[in-house]
């Protein structure tokens, strides 16, 4: 119960304190959350896939932080940067606590049975790096909407097939926050 309360605090801080001076505090709190010993293969696979997914997302938002001009897109990129970095720390800590690898096989067919490992391809990443001005923002938004949609799909897999309470709670937070980010991005794209 104590750990669930800490997880709720982490979620609230991550959702309300993104991009503020509380970012360093969020990381310390997140590192203290333990996932417990009860888990299954879906929990492990979800966390491994999400670490890889988040790392690519962090690469994308770092490009946005350098290239985006719209203040609302910059603010979202900075918030995603803080939140996903904290989540990577948390997920790697859980996997290490279970003595499981923190990396995942990136072979294209390794995850075909459960929807594949979502990833933006090298061509798309190159196009994102090369885009400038309004073209950059349109390219980023389109790629990041798809990227965050994949996070929602993986979270749904964990919510229905996972056994670990904390991993499932994280998946629910990911589902909610990424759905909200998609709405924000689509509003920016259409606004």
């Amino acid at each position: 119960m104590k750990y669930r309360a800490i997880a709720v605090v982490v979620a609230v801080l991550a959702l309300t304190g993104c991009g503020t001076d509380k970012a360093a505090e969020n990381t310390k709190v997140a590192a203290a959350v333990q996932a417990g010993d009860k888990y299954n293969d879906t929990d492990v696979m979800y966390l491994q896939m999400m670490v890889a997914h988040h790392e690519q997302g962090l690469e994308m938002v770092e490009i946005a932080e350098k290239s985006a001009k719209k203040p609302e897109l910059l603010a979202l990129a900075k918030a995603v940067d803080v939140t996903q970095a904290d989540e990577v720390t948390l997920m790697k800590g859980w996997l290490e606590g279970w003595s499981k690898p923190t990396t995942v096989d990136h072979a294209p067919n390794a995850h075909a049975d459960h929807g594949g490992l979502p990833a933006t391809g090298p061509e798309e990443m190159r196009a994102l790096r090369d885009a400038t001005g309004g073209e950059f923002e349109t390219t980023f938004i389109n790629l990041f909407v798809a990227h965050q949609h994949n996070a929602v799909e993986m979270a749904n897999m964990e919510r229905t097939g996972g056994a670990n309470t904390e991993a499932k709670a994280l998946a629910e937070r990911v589902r909610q926050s990424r759905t909200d980010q998609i709405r924000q991005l689509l509003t920016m794209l259409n606004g």
Side-chain angles (χ1 to χ4, degrees), residues 146-164:
H147 182 83
Q148 296 302 60
H149 175 74
N150 287 333
V152 170
E153 292 300 313
M154 288 190 293
N156 287 335
M157 175 196 70
E158 168 62 18
R159 290 172 55 236
T160 59
N164 183 270

Side-chain angles (χ1 to χ4, degrees), residues 122-168:
E123 299 83 24
E124 292 92 355
M125 290 300 290
R126 189 171 23 263
L128 182 61
R129 281 188 207 89
D130 293 344
T132 58
E135 177 191 0
F136 170 82
E137 292 176 348
T138 300
T139 301
F140 174 80
I141 290 171
N142 282 312
L143 289 175
F144 210 64
V145 163
H147 182 83
Q148 296 302 60
H149 175 74
N150 287 333
V152 170
E153 292 300 313
M154 288 190 293
N156 287 335
M157 175 196 70
E158 168 62 18
R159 290 172 55 236
T160 59
N164 183 270
T165 303
E166 274 29 7
K168 289 176 80 159

Side-chain angles (χ1 to χ4, degrees), residues 46 155 158-159 166-176:
Y46 171 69
E158 168 62 18
R159 290 172 55 236
E166 274 29 7
K168 289 176 80 159
L170 173 65
E172 177 58 22
R173 289 191 305 275
V174 165
R175 186 191 66 77
Q176 289 176 8

Side-chain angles (χ1 to χ4, degrees), residues 63-137:
I63 296 168
E65 288 178 85
K66 294 175 187 169
S67 301
K69 302 295 182 226
K70 288 184 180 179
E72 62 271 22
L73 187 55
L74 281 168
L76 180 65
K78 288 178 183 179
V80 169
D81 193 348
V82 170
T83 301
Q84 289 193 183
D86 288 349
E87 289 172 352
V88 167
T89 300
L90 183 69
M91 292 184 293
K92 283 184 173 182
W94 291 349
L95 288 166
E96 289 165 357
W98 297 337
S99 300
K100 299 294 181 184
T102 60
T103 57
V104 68
D105 184 354
H106 286 277
N109 294 324
H111 304 281
D113 290 342
H114 50 266
L117 180 63
T120 302
E123 299 83 24
E124 292 92 355
M125 290 300 290
R126 189 171 23 263
L128 182 61
R129 281 188 207 89
D130 293 344
T132 58
E135 177 191 0
F136 170 82
E137 292 176 348

Side-chain angles (χ1 to χ4, degrees), residues 12-33:
V12 170
L13 289 174
L15 293 174
T16 61
C18 292
T20 69
D21 293 336
K22 300 224 183 250
E25 293 174 33
N26 292 351
T27 302
K28 291 175 190 169
V29 173
V33 176

